[in-house]
Each structure stands twice: as C-alpha cells, then as structure tokens.
Amino acid sequence: MNEGVYLFDLYSWMKSNEDGFILDGVLFTYDFNRTGIFSADGINLNKRGQALLATGIIEYLNANFGSSMPIPNVNDYPGNEYVNGF
C-alpha cells in the first residue's frame, strides 16, 4: 500500500446512510423527488447531490488530516426541478 494514497469509500459512505442523509433538519433521499440527490437520468448526482458528496469528502479530509475546510450548505443548491408543459 502506498502511504501517499488515500481513498474515500463512496459506496460505504452511501450504504451507511441507506435511508438518506439528514442535514440541517432536511432529509435527502435516493428517490427521484424534490429532496432526491440523483438527477433525472437516475445515474448522476444533481447539484444538491454533488454538494452532499463534497460534504462527505470534506468531512473525511477534515477528520483524517486535521484540516478545517468549510462544509457547503447543501440546501443552497437546487435539487430536481419539475416543469409542467414541456
């Protein structure tokens, strides 16, 4: 193992939050809805999901390297938007 390589285990992180993530009293789910973190294609993360992922990585870095990077407010980013009549 190379001591200069660190891995963020995304699968385990998401699996440990199987029912969703609660941040600032808001539940973010894996469903396709307004609080969902996946985009309409069901594969890629929407902007809110990307901010949530960044939060997990920053928390990992802060915990393992003693850094103090600020964590983004996930609620500042839009989730899935529904448009009528498209």
Side-chain angles (χ1 to χ4, degrees):
M1 179 171 171
N2 185 335
E3 292 183 17
V5 176
Y6 296 87
L7 298 175
F8 175 71
D9 187 358
L10 176 61
Y11 176 79
S12 295
W13 180 71
M14 291 182 88
K15 193 74 171 160
S16 69
N17 296 293
E18 227 174 293
D19 295 329
F21 298 84
I22 298 177
L23 294 173
D24 297 329
V26 178
L27 174 65
F28 299 99
T29 64
Y30 299 112
D31 299 326
F32 182 73
N33 58 27
R34 293 190 190 278
T35 61
I37 62 172
F38 285 97
S39 65
D41 65 10
I43 298 171
N44 297 298
L45 297 173
N46 60 23
K47 291 178 184 178
R48 187 171 279 169
Q50 291 172 6
L52 186 65
L53 173 60
T55 297
I57 292 171
I58 291 171
E59 287 175 346
Y60 174 83
L61 293 172
N62 287 346
N64 289 290
F65 297 101
S67 59
S68 59
M69 287 187 281
I71 295 174
N73 182 354
V74 178
N75 292 312
D76 286 344
Y77 297 89
N80 297 322
E81 297 179 23
Y82 298 96
V83 179
N84 291 329
F86 62 94

